[in-house]
Amino acid sequence: MVQGADTRRFRIAMAQLNTTVGDFEGNLQKMLEAVERAKVAGVDLLTFPELAVCGYPPEDLLFKSRFIAENRRYLQKLVEASAGITIVAGFADANDGIYNAAAVIHDGGLADIYHKIFLPNYGVFDENRYFRPGDSCPVYIIAGVGVGVTICEDIWYKGGPASVQAHAGAEVIVNISASPYHFGKGNTREEMIATRARDNTAIFAYNNLVGGQDELVFDGGSLVLDEKGRLLARGKQFEEDMILADLDVAAVAQARRREPGRQKGAASQKDPPWPVTRATLSEKPFNTEKPSISPRKVKTRSLPAEIYDALVLGTGDYITKNGFKKVLIGLSGGVDSSLVAAIAVDALGKSNVVGVAMPSRYSSEESLSDAELLAKNLGIRLLNIPIERVFQAYHDTLAEAFKETKPDITEENIQARIRGNILMALSNKFGWLVLTTGNKSEMATGYTTLYGDMAGGFAVIKDVPKTMVYELARYRNELAESDLIPSSVIDKPPSAELRPEQKDSDTLPPYELLDPVLKAYVEEDKSVEQIIATGVDEEVVRRAARLVDGSEYKRRQAPPGVKITTRAFGRDRRLPITNRYKGR
Amino acid sequence: MVQGADTRRFRIAMAQLNTTVGDFEGNLQKMLEAVERAKVAGVDLLTFPELAVCGYPPEDLLFKSRFIAENRRYLQKLVEASAGITIVAGFADANDGIYNAAAVIHDGGLADIYHKIFLPNYGVFDENRYFRPGDSCPVYIIAGVGVGVTICEDIWYKGGPASVQAHAGAEVIVNISASPYHFGKGNTREEMIATRARDNTAIFAYNNLVGGQDELVFDGGSLVLDEKGRLLARGKQFEEDMILADLDVAAVAQARRREPGRQKGAASQKDPPWPVTRATLSEKPFNTEKPSISPRKVKTRSLPAEIYDALVLGTGDYITKNGFKKVLIGLSGGVDSSLVAAIAVDALGKSNVVGVAMPSRYSSEESLSDAELLAKNLGIRLLNIPIERVFQAYHDTLAEAFKETKPDITEENIQARIRGNILMALSNKFGWLVLTTGNKSEMATGYTTLYGDMAGGFAVIKDVPKTMVYELARYRNELAESDLIPSSVIDKPPSAELRPEQKDSDTLPPYELLDPVLKAYVEEDKSVEQIIATGVDEEVVRRAARLVDGSEYKRRQAPPGVKITTRAFGRDRRLPITNRYKGR
């Protein structure tokens, strides 16, 4: 393949796009812009994320034959714009079944189609529901360089398709991906790819998706690592980006020549699990004169910064991709609603966020003044709609039915539901989306009112444990270099203020004790006994588990929210409501 | 295997149990009772449904190692009770992975474990998420008869494990199953099994689960078909049952001797996809003296009867398995809430059903009198809680925020949400579960108020199209031989009564037009163009599709309800909320 001294360099561009499910026209426009930029940069290969044409994950839209047909039609438009360039783009292919596919497009034609081989079917993923696995491992010669194309999960396991391709002569492994965020995942991903690069002596170019889609946030952070696992380029996190890099392919060939057991060019595994196919697209680059580039390595950041940005992107995308402009938030003067308001302002701008204070007879004076101060700090409009009159009307209306009963949680829930109804009325009247403010500790234990504080379109911090809510509030203040979220909000003991002198700690264990237990029980499937064995108070653990188990029916009716942990409530954790398992 | 004249008969008992997920003790007690009955009946083999030990489907409980361990511990208790009998029972096995398994238990010992080979991962099923597939096809000699054990999906495809077993000498194929109901499925199942029996010249004994589990109802109707596909026994539908049958195994052997190409005993496929294992448990029956039995063939019934019973069982099981006794239903005087009340009374008894009339300024006099007449006919208590005072209070409270706006759907939703709040207050105060009354046509089009009429624990008829609601109401009246549901309720035009003179037909196409469109669009994934091509008015189709697409966010927050169609909203249909696909 290579004559004389090997000086091959390969210029790659990865378009880290924010696609939208079903938005064929919008997604195509973004791709066409990237094609123009890539042509100007003289790249040898331009890549797009997994299922970029139709958006990811399309879920049961894939069962609509018209959806698949539209996606093919828009792929064809991309093909038609590909004169003078090579492109790898994700789309949904269909012939004898549906495939999660990568189109290999070269100079105005569709050269080949690769089918994803490893289909994730765990956690939030249901790919076996839709896709058939591919069964062959292509290696393409592009501008004289051996390139292997893979999709997401394909590179997550040792000995997978990338290894087969590398052994069959691929010097660059391209991976188009849609890998959802949870905190810490960036590191895991980078280490995994570095290992894969070293194991296979190949350059890995990993093109991730970016953007929010219902409960998922794709965090971008696309990567290029060389054959020694060293970072060459890292894209922005939580933003669209175009990652450009010149790959020293000659160095790969040289490193491989030094490896015992590998025969240059003809090297191959014995009986690879998937047959290798080979296709030569071009022996020479389209462009020999290339403008100089310097690849960027966007720095990784602190955990709260990363999580905060995930929440901002996930919330903003949910709102705008669903056609809303403004949001409405019930401001209690507590830390949860204050954090949600800050996130909303960062996502949409202050003019698109409206706060509503809804004081009752049990609200403290500080609650209203804190809400007012927060609104002032954020620069948002604040409505004040007291709920007393409605609460009294419910009281009177139910007096006959409730005679001979005592006040209990019923009256607390009525107040929460009046607030929910007022927010929904404002939402209906003005077309603003209601953001709910419950955190993960509350969602886990059911310390929340169905149709009350749970009422709304998007639950911004439903996957954020209470202790992390405080961390994020402090982070946001550090960023602002001020008490954007008033210190009185952060410092006061948490309370739902639904009865006199109520504190969360009347009902729940302290959050510093509770949150680690919830993590172990919910995210790690630890049993009550296993958690107690780590030294946590038995009563705390049993109570937490009982509350989690008994609140499944509430969570099933909750609005979606951004997944930021390894296991969010929602499609990530599928428990029956009807469930007598008490062994826990 | 057989000496002299073959006169073998094989007595089988299938315990069609109503198990509960996670109720190890309760499930075991039911199984032990069945073991005692089967011993008295002198059966050669007793079978239990799929995952009978832990209940089906356990979903993510399977990821808890303690859950798996408990299920093994309870299986062992069943083994210990098995002296003098052979049993096949479903449980969750785990070693190098989790398996959907059948324990083959013989005379006090665990003889073998079969692993389900075909794992359904479509519709409501997620079995790839949990289970690894089995890889071998055992044939057991039980009382001198060749028996193949399979689990549910294993027999749904030609050439599957049952075929391999039949070719390897199995004369009786046992299938332990948990096959969820949708209307018409009984026939499909019976035809499929008859085909399988004829194709393999084998007797098929199909043991289905019965009972409700969240959105699913398992309908029982266990079957025994002979080697010619003729019905020998059919169990009750929607009830627990013990199906006993004497199988003429000699006739199977005789029929096979007449088949060209099949060599008795040594017959086998060339290279079966799963290796065959053989084990002899017993050459002779435990019992030679057997009390005589006559197998029952429970008759199949009309469609409305079957659907009605599915709703009664699904609703009753959800309520009682979740520890509730009483339910609460908002009675509007309309046909939906009337049908739900009738179903609730049939499921729980009239003393456990409370109706609540919540008239407003827009309610007609007939609405209240119809609700009263219905309550009288059903013999249930009726509360009357007018919402006017609360509605006025909301009006006053929101006056400032709503100044310079006109009344619109906001005020309609406020009324619906007041009713939701009142029902939830009664639920909180008295511990009664709220049943919601929305039908599938409303759920599909979003003609329903989130946190209003959608508020409640269980949505009884959420999968029943409006036109079928009428059919079911008429069916129930025929059964009662009276106007149990008042004829005025059935005859009046449907209205939400949330504004003066409102009718459903102001907003929606007539249900006779709408329902077939919804079925094509929602259940059959037909595109708008395909539906229009069948001759339906274009505007009706486009409007219906638009409403369905725009209501996904509402459905995501709906309570569960009984699946009775081929595709219910819920886990059966997984569409993104964020979705710009407009091609439809």
Side-chain angles (χ1 to χ4, degrees):
Chain A
M1 173 177 14
V2 183
Q3 305 288 327
D6 186 357
T7 58
R8 291 172 304 146
R9 294 201 155 249
F10 189 78
R11 180 163 286 187
I12 192 165
M14 302 192 295
Q16 179 175 297
L17 298 184
N18 187 342
T19 58
T20 298
V21 169
D23 189 6
F24 295 111
E25 186 60 38
N27 298 342
L28 177 71
Q29 288 312 319
K30 289 188 178 213
M31 288 196 271
L32 294 180
E33 278 170 36
V35 168
E36 289 317 304
R37 285 185 61 191
K39 284 182 181 173
V40 170
V43 308
D44 297 303
L45 177 65
L46 167 64
T47 62
F48 292 110
E50 184 172 11
L51 296 185
V53 173
C54 62
Y56 184 94
E59 303 188 67
D60 284 9
L61 289 170
L62 290 166
F63 295 144
K64 296 177 185 278
S65 56
R66 172 79 192 274
F67 181 86
I68 301 281
E70 284 287 276
N71 135 96
R72 285 300 302 247
R73 198 161 70 83
Y74 276 88
L75 176 69
Q76 185 53 33
K77 295 185 189 207
L78 181 65
V79 170
E80 285 159 15
S82 68
I85 194 167
T86 307
I87 299 171
V88 170
F91 78 109
D93 191 26
N95 38 59
D96 53 338
I98 307 171
Y99 295 89
N100 186 332
V104 181
I105 300 165
H106 180 73
D107 199 15
L110 177 60
D112 197 21
I113 294 171
Y114 169 76
H115 292 157
K116 187 175 183 178
I117 293 175
F118 286 6
L119 300 173
N121 203 69
Y122 53 82
V124 300
F125 300 109
D126 282 316
E127 293 204 8
N128 285 148
R129 180 175 173 89
Y130 308 108
F131 301 120
R132 298 179 63 160
D135 58 8
S136 75
C137 275
V139 175
Y140 306 102
I141 306 304
I142 302 172
V145 171
V147 177
V149 170
T150 61
I151 304 177
C152 206
E153 193 84 355
D154 283 338
I155 59 165
W156 279 82
Y157 305 95
K158 195 177 165 142
S163 299
V164 173
Q165 291 165 337
H167 276 83
E171 298 157 306
V172 175
I173 303 290
V174 163
N175 186 264
I176 63 171
S177 183
S179 178
Y181 174 76
H182 61 75
F183 68 78
K185 192 167 184 185
N187 283 346
T188 311
R189 226 183 256 144
E190 200 158 326
E191 282 166 25
M192 177 278 291
I193 297 173
T195 306
R196 215 59 78 237
R198 281 191 299 267
D199 285 356
N200 294 294
T201 317
I203 299 169
F204 272 65
Y206 169 83
N207 185 358
N208 198 14
L209 184 67
V210 73
Q213 170 64 27
D214 289 352
E215 304 218 300
L216 303 180
V217 170
F218 301 92
D219 56 330
S222 298
L223 296 166
V224 184
L225 284 87
D226 75 8
E227 74 286 357
K228 295 194 166 67
R230 294 173 302 202
L231 185 72
L232 295 180
R234 186 192 292 117
K236 293 177 188 165
Q237 211 182 4
F238 306 113
E239 278 182 65
E240 290 198 319
D241 199 2
M242 170 79 102
I243 297 92
L244 280 162
D246 283 325
L247 312 182
D248 184 356
V249 181
V252 174
Q254 194 176 16
R256 288 182 174 183
R257 276 192 297 274
R258 281 191 238 107
E259 286 174 20
R262 183 192 292 263
Q263 282 218 262
K264 187 183 150 288
S268 70
Q269 287 181 309
K270 273 181 205 157
D271 299 323
W274 311 278
V276 173
T277 60
R278 285 187 182 79
T280 297
L281 306 188
S282 57
E283 286 292 1
K284 297 230 161 104
F286 283 113
N287 310 285
T288 44
E289 297 293 313
K290 295 174 184 181
S292 73
I293 56 162
S294 51
R296 277 173 299 112
K297 299 178 193 174
V298 175
K299 288 207 174 115
T300 57
R301 290 164 313 148
S302 72
L303 208 55
E306 186 183 286
I307 294 170
Y308 191 89
D309 286 357
L311 296 171
V312 169
L313 178 61
T315 303
D317 271 6
Y318 187 86
I319 294 160
T320 54
K321 289 182 178 182
N322 279 294
F324 289 89
K325 277 191 175 167
K326 286 201 175 192
V327 295
L328 195 61
I329 305 166
L331 294 183
S332 68
V335 68
D336 296 314
S337 57
S338 299
L339 176 64
V340 169
I343 291 167
V345 167
D346 288 333
L348 304 167
K350 60 188 179 184
S351 61
N352 289 318
V353 181
V354 178
V356 189
M358 292 172 284
S360 78
R361 62 181 78 169
Y362 305 121
S363 304
S364 64
E365 274 180 39
E366 294 75 41
S367 294
L368 187 57
S369 62
D370 283 344
E372 283 167 348
L373 181 54
L374 175 84
K376 182 167 161 283
N377 290 356
L378 293 174
I380 63 173
R381 186 176 158 204
L382 179 70
L383 303 177
N384 185 355
I385 304 183
I387 66 167
E388 190 54 35
R389 188 193 294 251
V390 178
F391 187 42
Q392 188 60 48
Y394 274 110
H395 192 269
D396 299 344
T397 297
L398 288 164
E400 171 68 19
F402 283 4
K403 68 174 186 242
E404 291 164 38
T405 69
K406 287 184 184 153
D408 57 12
I409 199 169
T410 306
E411 285 73 16
E412 300 182 29
N413 284 335
I414 289 175
Q415 294 165 67
R417 292 191 179 115
I418 292 168
R419 294 191 175 110
N421 198 346
I422 288 172
L423 289 172
M424 291 305 296
L426 292 165
S427 170
N428 288 161
K429 189 64 88 184
F430 301 112
W432 305 333
L433 187 85
V434 175
L435 299 182
T436 69
T437 62
N439 59 58
K440 189 175 195 176
S441 314
E442 292 171 344
M443 292 299 295
T445 55
Y447 194 67
T448 174
T449 301
L450 194 55
Y451 323 130
D453 54 317
M454 287 175 68
F458 199 67
V460 176
I461 55 171
K462 75 184 276 196
D463 198 36
V464 182
K466 183 78 173 190
T467 47
M468 195 183 281
V469 168
Y470 284 107
E471 268 190 77
L472 293 173
R474 286 191 206 99
Y475 159 77
R476 188 62 189 85
N477 282 357
E478 279 165 29
L479 201 67
E481 295 180 346
S482 76
D483 277 2
L484 189 76
I485 296 173
S487 57
S488 53
V489 167
I490 296 177
D491 295 338
K492 68 182 157 194
S495 165
E497 294 195 325
L498 293 170
R499 59 172 189 262
E501 302 299 322
Q502 184 179 32
K503 298 278 171 290
D504 289 14
S505 54
D506 303 341
T507 307
L508 297 178
Y511 289 111
E512 314 82 71
L513 279 184
L514 180 63
D515 280 353
V517 171
L518 293 175
K519 182 172 193 294
Y521 190 67
V522 172
E523 294 180 41
E524 295 162 6
D525 281 325
K526 294 281 196 297
S527 72
V528 164
E529 277 74 12
Q530 285 173 312
I531 303 171
I532 292 169
T534 66
V536 189
D537 179 68
E538 177 167 344
E539 188 37 44
V540 168
V541 182
R542 293 206 183 279
R543 177 157 177 70
R546 209 158 48 230
L547 289 170
V548 171
D549 291 352
S551 307
E552 186 55 34
Y553 75 99
K554 284 192 191 179
R555 287 189 290 269
R556 206 65 75 83
Q557 296 190 40
V562 187
K563 168 183 162 76
I564 61 138
T565 68
T566 51
R567 186 183 286 168
F569 295 118
R571 85 165 88 187
D572 219 358
R573 180 178 183 271
R574 306 177 190 179
L575 282 183
I577 299 176
T578 305
N579 168 18
R580 292 212 184 133
Y581 178 54
K582 292 288 178 284
R584 298 194 177 91
Chain B
M1 174 178 11
V2 183
Q3 304 287 327
D6 185 355
T7 59
R8 290 173 304 147
R9 290 199 158 250
F10 188 78
R11 180 165 287 186
I12 192 166
M14 303 193 295
Q16 179 175 295
L17 298 183
N18 187 340
T19 58
T20 299
V21 168
D23 189 7
F24 294 113
E25 186 59 39
N27 297 343
L28 178 70
Q29 288 313 319
K30 289 188 178 211
M31 287 196 270
L32 294 180
E33 277 170 38
V35 169
E36 288 316 304
R37 284 184 62 190
K39 283 183 182 173
V40 170
V43 308
D44 298 305
L45 177 64
L46 167 65
T47 62
F48 292 110
E50 184 172 11
L51 296 185
V53 173
C54 62
Y56 184 94
E59 303 186 67
D60 283 9
L61 289 170
L62 290 166
F63 295 144
K64 297 177 184 279
S65 56
R66 173 80 193 273
F67 181 86
I68 300 281
E70 284 285 278
N71 135 97
R72 285 302 300 248
R73 199 161 69 82
Y74 276 88
L75 177 68
Q76 186 52 35
K77 295 186 189 206
L78 181 65
V79 170
E80 283 159 17
S82 68
I85 194 167
T86 306
I87 300 171
V88 170
F91 78 109
D93 192 25
N95 39 57
D96 53 338
I98 306 172
Y99 295 90
N100 186 332
V104 181
I105 299 166
H106 180 72
D107 199 16
L110 179 60
D112 198 21
I113 293 171
Y114 168 76
H115 292 157
K116 186 176 184 177
I117 292 175
F118 285 8
L119 301 172
N121 203 70
Y122 53 82
V124 299
F125 300 107
D126 281 316
E127 293 204 7
N128 285 147
R129 180 174 173 90
Y130 308 107
F131 302 119
R132 298 180 61 162
D135 57 9
S136 76
C137 275
V139 175
Y140 306 103
I141 305 304
I142 302 171
V145 170
V147 176
V149 170
T150 61
I151 303 177
C152 205
E153 194 85 354
D154 283 338
I155 60 164
W156 279 82
Y157 306 96
K158 197 178 164 141
S163 299
V164 174
Q165 291 165 337
H167 277 83
E171 298 156 307
V172 175
I173 302 290
V174 163
N175 185 265
I176 64 172
S177 183
S179 178
Y181 174 76
H182 62 73
F183 69 78
K185 193 168 182 185
N187 282 345
T188 311
R189 227 183 255 143
E190 200 159 325
E191 282 166 24
M192 178 277 291
I193 297 173
T195 306
R196 215 59 78 237
R198 281 191 298 267
D199 284 355
N200 295 294
T201 317
I203 299 169
F204 272 65
Y206 169 82
N207 186 358
N208 197 15
L209 183 67
V210 73
Q213 169 64 28
D214 289 353
E215 304 219 300
L216 304 181
V217 170
F218 301 92
D219 54 332
S222 298
L223 296 166
V224 184
L225 285 86
D226 75 8
E227 75 284 357
K228 296 193 166 68
R230 294 173 302 201
L231 185 72
L232 296 179
R234 186 192 291 117
K236 292 176 188 166
Q237 210 183 5
F238 306 114
E239 279 182 64
E240 289 197 321
D241 200 1
M242 170 80 102
I243 296 93
L244 280 163
D246 284 325
L247 313 181
D248 183 357
V249 182
V252 174
Q254 193 176 18
R256 288 183 174 182
R257 274 193 298 275
R258 279 189 239 109
E259 285 173 19
R262 183 192 290 264
Q263 281 217 266
K264 189 184 150 284
S268 70
Q269 286 182 311
K270 273 182 205 156
D271 299 322
W274 311 279
V276 173
T277 60
R278 284 187 184 79
T280 297
L281 305 188
S282 56
E283 287 292 0
K284 298 230 161 103
F286 282 113
N287 309 284
T288 44
E289 297 293 313
K290 296 175 182 179
S292 74
I293 56 162
S294 53
R296 276 173 300 112
K297 299 179 194 174
V298 174
K299 290 205 174 115
T300 57
R301 289 164 313 146
S302 73
L303 207 57
E306 185 183 287
I307 294 170
Y308 190 87
D309 285 358
L311 296 171
V312 170
L313 178 62
T315 302
D317 271 6
Y318 186 86
I319 294 160
T320 55
K321 289 181 178 182
N322 279 295
F324 289 89
K325 277 192 174 165
K326 285 201 178 193
V327 295
L328 197 61
I329 304 165
L331 294 184
S332 68
V335 67
D336 297 314
S337 56
S338 299
L339 176 65
V340 168
I343 291 167
V345 167
D346 288 333
L348 304 168
K350 61 188 177 183
S351 61
N352 290 318
V353 179
V354 178
V356 190
M358 293 171 284
S360 78
R361 62 181 79 168
Y362 304 122
S363 304
S364 63
E365 274 180 38
E366 294 74 42
S367 295
L368 186 58
S369 62
D370 283 343
E372 284 166 348
L373 181 56
L374 176 83
K376 181 166 162 284
N377 291 356
L378 293 174
I380 63 172
R381 187 176 157 204
L382 180 71
L383 303 177
N384 186 351
I385 305 182
I387 66 166
E388 189 55 34
R389 189 194 295 251
V390 179
F391 187 43
Q392 188 59 48
Y394 274 110
H395 193 268
D396 298 345
T397 297
L398 288 163
E400 171 69 19
F402 284 3
K403 67 175 186 238
E404 293 164 37
T405 70
K406 287 184 185 155
D408 56 13
I409 199 169
T410 306
E411 285 73 15
E412 300 183 30
N413 284 334
I414 288 174
Q415 295 166 67
R417 291 191 179 116
I418 292 168
R419 295 191 173 110
N421 198 347
I422 288 173
L423 289 173
M424 291 306 296
L426 293 165
S427 169
N428 288 162
K429 190 63 89 183
F430 300 111
W432 306 333
L433 187 86
V434 176
L435 298 182
T436 68
T437 62
N439 59 57
K440 188 173 195 176
S441 313
E442 291 170 346
M443 293 299 295
T445 54
Y447 194 68
T448 175
T449 301
L450 195 55
Y451 322 130
D453 53 318
M454 286 175 69
F458 199 69
V460 176
I461 55 171
K462 78 185 274 196
D463 198 35
V464 182
K466 184 77 172 189
T467 47
M468 195 184 281
V469 168
Y470 285 106
E471 268 190 78
L472 292 174
R474 285 190 207 99
Y475 159 76
R476 187 63 189 83
N477 282 357
E478 279 165 28
L479 201 67
E481 297 182 346
S482 76
D483 277 2
L484 188 76
I485 297 173
S487 58
S488 54
V489 167
I490 297 178
D491 295 339
K492 69 183 157 193
S495 166
E497 294 197 324
L498 293 169
R499 61 172 188 262
E501 303 298 321
Q502 185 178 32
K503 299 277 170 290
D504 290 13
S505 53
D506 303 341
T507 307
L508 298 178
Y511 289 111
E512 314 82 72
L513 278 183
L514 180 62
D515 280 353
V517 172
L518 293 175
K519 181 171 193 297
Y521 190 66
V522 172
E523 294 180 44
E524 296 162 7
D525 281 324
K526 294 282 196 298
S527 71
V528 164
E529 277 74 13
Q530 284 173 310
I531 303 172
I532 292 170
T534 65
V536 190
D537 178 68
E538 175 165 346
E539 187 39 43
V540 168
V541 182
R542 292 206 183 278
R543 177 157 175 69
R546 207 158 51 231
L547 290 169
V548 170
D549 291 352
S551 308
E552 187 56 33
Y553 75 99
K554 285 192 190 179
R555 287 189 290 269
R556 207 63 75 84
Q557 295 189 41
V562 187
K563 168 182 161 77
I564 60 138
T565 67
T566 51
R567 186 182 287 168
F569 294 118
R571 84 164 90 186
D572 217 359
R573 180 177 183 272
R574 308 179 189 176
L575 283 184
I577 298 177
T578 306
N579 167 18
R580 292 212 183 132
Y581 177 54
K582 293 287 177 284
R584 302 195 173 89

